[in-house]
């Protein structure tokens, strides 16, 4: 009820601020993921409010994250766009921009709007000097731990380093507190690359250099993959990780079948929902631990999964599409859905947000430590190679160093011919 009242007030303000007066009845087609991030019910609520304000019908197609790219590409080559508005993952910015699949929004995003969004978030959607999406979802990974299991194991609090975490997991396993203390999304999909990126950061490095060249097969990148493999070999990580996506990893944790995991921001709200979670109260959110060797330089490390709202170049309703994008990304709407980190700095720092979300300080610290995946046009191909070889190592079919060397060799060949 609080959200409904708040949104009603927001709507009144938005009518004045966004020029959302009623227009002739039209239909807008949108594609959105049903996985991490804002959940489908929230996205539908936002669309319902937009429909009420503009007399517009909003059709939303919900798909799994990994199904989006193919559907967006198909829409882009159709005579008329299947979708007017899409969710643009930051890793697709270079590809979609270079192929002119979406339109630049620089004439629509005002200087005041840019000033209120952190450069790390806004720049994720900049390619070739233009901005190709309006930031919508400041997604990044956080650390989730079961405080009851930690206490039963005899520890006073969550681990601050990866080594402390391994020590806690070994005790939990020895005492039969939980069979597999670690769960994660290590299936051969994009989520696996995300997990590998933050782990490489936790060992003090990055997967690609500033020019988009692979550097993951040396130092921190090798240590990260060796760490993942070691968790599986020692029985600390659930073998099911190899087929888990983020939703399955979340389910493992909120069912009480794991002590630790990392996941996107969406897990926090579900972890505390007694209708679906068995760890309400025990499940806690904190900063992702790093390796002891780098703990004096960095306290935590994460991975960015920023998503923007973009308008298809072959949409015939670009003006209406922008009204919708402006509405769902507005500070007033994001302020009403604080289960996800707002993209607006003014909302993040507002007294209201910090009163309603006691974890805002943790989120602010974690988002400042994100590592990015490379912004290169052939990213889907680059990612596919990396996914395949990391997964080969996790299945114990290749040694980590050999797998990463092979991945780097093939990725360099892809980048060279583009």
């Amino acid at each position: 009820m609080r959200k409904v009242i708040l949104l009603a007030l927001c709507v009144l303000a938005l009518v004045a601020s966004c020029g959302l007066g009623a227009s002739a009845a039209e239909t807008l087609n949108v594609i959105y993921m049903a996985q991490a991030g804002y959940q489908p019910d929230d996205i539908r609520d936002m669309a319902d409010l937009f429909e009420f304000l503009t007399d517009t019908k909003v059709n939303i197609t919900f798909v799994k994250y990994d199904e989006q790219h193919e559907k967006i590409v198909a829409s882009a080559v159709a005579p008329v766009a299947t979708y007017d508005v899409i969710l643009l993952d930051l890793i697709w910015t270079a590809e979609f921009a270079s192929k002119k699949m979406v339109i630049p929004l620089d004439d629509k995003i005002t200087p005041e709007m840019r000033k209120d969004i952190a450069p790390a978030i806004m720049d994720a959607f900049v390619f070739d000097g233009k901005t190709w999406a309006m930031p919508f979802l400041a997604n990044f990974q956080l650390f989730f731990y079961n405080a009851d299991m930690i206490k039963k194991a005899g520890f006073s609090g969550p681990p601050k380093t990866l080594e402390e975490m391994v020590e806690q997991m070994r005790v939990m396993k020895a005492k039969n507190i939980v069979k597999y203390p670690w769960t994660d999304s290590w299936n051969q999909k994009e989520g696996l690359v995300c997990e590998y990126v933050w782990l490489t950061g936790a060992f003090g490095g990055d997967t690609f250099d500033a020019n988009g060249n692979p550097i993951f097969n040396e130092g921190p990148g090798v240590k990260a993959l060796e760490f993942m493999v070691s968790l599986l070999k020692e029985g600390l990580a659930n073998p099911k990780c190899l087929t888990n996506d983020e939703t399955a990893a979340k389910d493992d944790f909120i069912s009480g079948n794991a002590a630790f995991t990392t996941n996107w921001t969406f897990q926090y709200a579900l972890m505390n929902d007694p209708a679906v979670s068995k760890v309400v109260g025990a499940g806690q959110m904190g900063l992702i631990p790093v390796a002891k060797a780098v703990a004096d330089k960095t306290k935590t490390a994460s991975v960015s999964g920023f998503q923007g709202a973009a308008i298809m170049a072959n949409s015939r309703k670009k003006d209406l599409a922008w009204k919708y994008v402006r509405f769902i990304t507005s500070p007033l709407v994001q302020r009403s859905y604080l289960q996800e980190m707002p993209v607006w700095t003014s909302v993040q720092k507002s007294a209201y947000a910090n009163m309603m979300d006691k974890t805002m300080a943790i989120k602010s610290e974690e988002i400042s430590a994100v590592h990015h995946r490379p912004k290169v046009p052939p990213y889907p191909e680059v990612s596919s190679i990396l996914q395949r070889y990391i997964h080969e190592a996790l299945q114990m079919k290749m040694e980590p160093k050999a797998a990463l060397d092979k991945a780097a060799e093939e990725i360099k060949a892809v980048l060279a011919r583009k």
Side-chain angles (χ1 to χ4, degrees):
M1 180 59 73
R2 182 192 297 270
K3 183 179 290 183
V4 172
I5 294 171
L6 179 60
L7 276 173
L9 294 173
C10 290
V11 164
L12 292 175
L14 276 169
V15 169
S17 65
C18 298
L20 291 176
S23 59
E26 290 189 89
T27 298
L28 203 60
N29 294 302
V30 178
I31 185 169
Y32 190 82
M33 65 174 172
Q35 199 158 319
Y38 294 111
Q39 295 301 289
D41 286 349
D42 294 332
I43 294 297
R44 189 62 252 173
D45 283 348
M46 295 177 196
D48 288 346
L49 283 166
F50 185 77
E51 288 182 345
F52 173 76
L53 285 170
T54 63
D55 193 25
T56 299
K57 175 67 176 174
V58 180
N59 291 328
I60 304 177
T61 300
F62 292 104
V63 298
K64 299 279 282 184
Y65 170 84
D66 292 303
E67 298 171 358
Q68 285 184 106
H69 185 271
E70 182 178 350
K71 290 184 178 294
I72 293 170
V73 171
S75 174
V77 299
V80 179
T82 308
Y83 311 109
D84 300 290
V85 176
I86 65 165
L87 192 65
L88 189 151
D89 193 327
L90 77 167
I91 57 176
W92 302 332
T93 300
E95 178 192 7
F96 288 5
S98 62
K99 294 180 179 177
K100 303 291 188 273
M101 292 167 56
V102 294
I103 62 170
L105 302 178
D106 298 278
D107 62 338
K108 304 178 187 303
I109 301 174
T110 66
E112 291 75 19
M113 293 159 69
R114 291 183 186 277
K115 189 177 179 182
D116 198 15
I117 297 177
I121 299 174
M122 183 62 81
D123 291 349
F125 305 105
V126 174
F127 181 77
D128 202 18
K130 296 179 181 178
T131 309
W132 301 90
M134 181 66 192
F136 176 52
L137 181 62
N139 213 6
F140 54 99
Q141 292 220 357
L142 287 146
F143 184 52
F144 297 91
Y145 59 91
N146 187 308
D148 285 353
M149 290 183 184
I150 292 173
K151 187 176 180 181
K152 285 181 183 176
F155 297 94
S156 59
K160 290 184 172 56
T161 66
L162 294 176
E163 289 82 355
E164 289 179 10
M165 186 175 73
V166 169
E167 181 187 357
Q168 292 191 5
M169 290 195 290
R170 285 171 176 161
V171 174
M172 290 175 185
K173 193 170 181 71
K175 291 185 176 181
N176 291 319
I177 295 171
V178 59
K179 186 174 182 180
Y180 297 112
W182 180 266
T183 189
D184 218 328
S185 52
W186 291 352
N187 64 340
Q188 193 179 323
K189 299 288 185 180
E190 183 60 31
L192 176 58
V193 175
C194 295
E195 302 299 333
Y196 177 63
V197 166
W198 80 251
L199 257 168
T200 301
F203 281 96
D206 277 297
T207 49
F208 289 78
D209 67 17
N211 297 317
N213 300 308
I215 55 173
F216 51 74
N217 58 329
E218 300 291 342
V222 177
K223 291 178 181 176
L225 186 52
E226 289 174 343
F227 180 80
M228 297 165 80
V229 171
S230 72
L231 296 184
L232 288 165
K233 283 184 174 177
E234 202 170 332
L236 300 177
N238 194 329
K240 184 171 166 288
C241 290
L242 298 183
T243 57
N244 273 356
D245 60 11
E246 293 94 336
T247 302
K250 176 265 296 176
D251 288 342
D252 285 345
F253 186 85
I254 69 173
S255 298
N257 294 322
F260 302 111
T261 191
T262 57
N263 213 327
W264 305 104
T265 46
F266 82 109
Q267 178 164 310
Y268 182 75
L270 296 170
M271 179 177 73
N272 289 297
D273 182 352
V276 297
S277 174
K278 295 181 179 178
V279 298
V280 176
Q284 301 291 322
M285 186 173 76
L287 298 177
I288 297 176
V290 297
K292 186 177 179 181
V294 302
D296 60 336
K297 299 177 182 175
T298 181
K299 192 174 176 182
T300 186
S302 184
V303 56
S304 60
F306 304 149
Q307 311 266 334
I311 300 171
M312 297 294 288
N314 56 345
S315 168
R316 293 180 176 176
K317 301 163 187 171
K318 294 184 179 67
D319 290 340
L320 182 60
W322 171 247
K323 287 183 178 180
Y324 176 74
V325 168
R326 182 70 185 92
F327 175 76
I328 62 171
T329 63
S330 67
L332 287 169
V333 169
Q334 294 218 326
R335 176 185 166 99
S336 302
Y337 292 88
L338 291 173
Q339 61 270 44
E340 293 296 336
M341 186 72 163
V343 299
W344 303 93
T345 303
S346 59
V347 179
Q348 294 173 13
K349 294 183 175 179
S350 69
Y352 173 79
N354 283 275
M355 177 185 71
M356 297 299 293
D357 184 355
K358 301 302 181 186
T359 67
M360 190 60 74
I362 294 173
K363 291 178 180 176
S364 295
E365 188 167 357
E366 193 68 86
I367 200 173
S368 68
V370 296
H371 292 252
H372 304 294
R373 289 161 285 168
K375 196 189 293 182
V376 292
Y379 182 79
E381 193 173 355
V382 167
S383 176
S384 178
I385 293 169
L386 194 51
Q387 293 169 30
R388 184 168 76 252
Y389 283 106
I390 292 175
H391 211 254
E392 288 280 307
L394 294 178
Q395 294 178 90
M396 321 291 176
K397 294 180 179 178
M398 296 182 74
E399 291 298 318
K401 172 64 174 165
L404 294 174
D405 281 343
K406 189 65 177 170
E409 177 187 335
E410 292 189 15
I411 287 172
K412 286 177 182 176
V414 168
L415 295 175
R417 72 170 183 261
K418 296 294 179 180

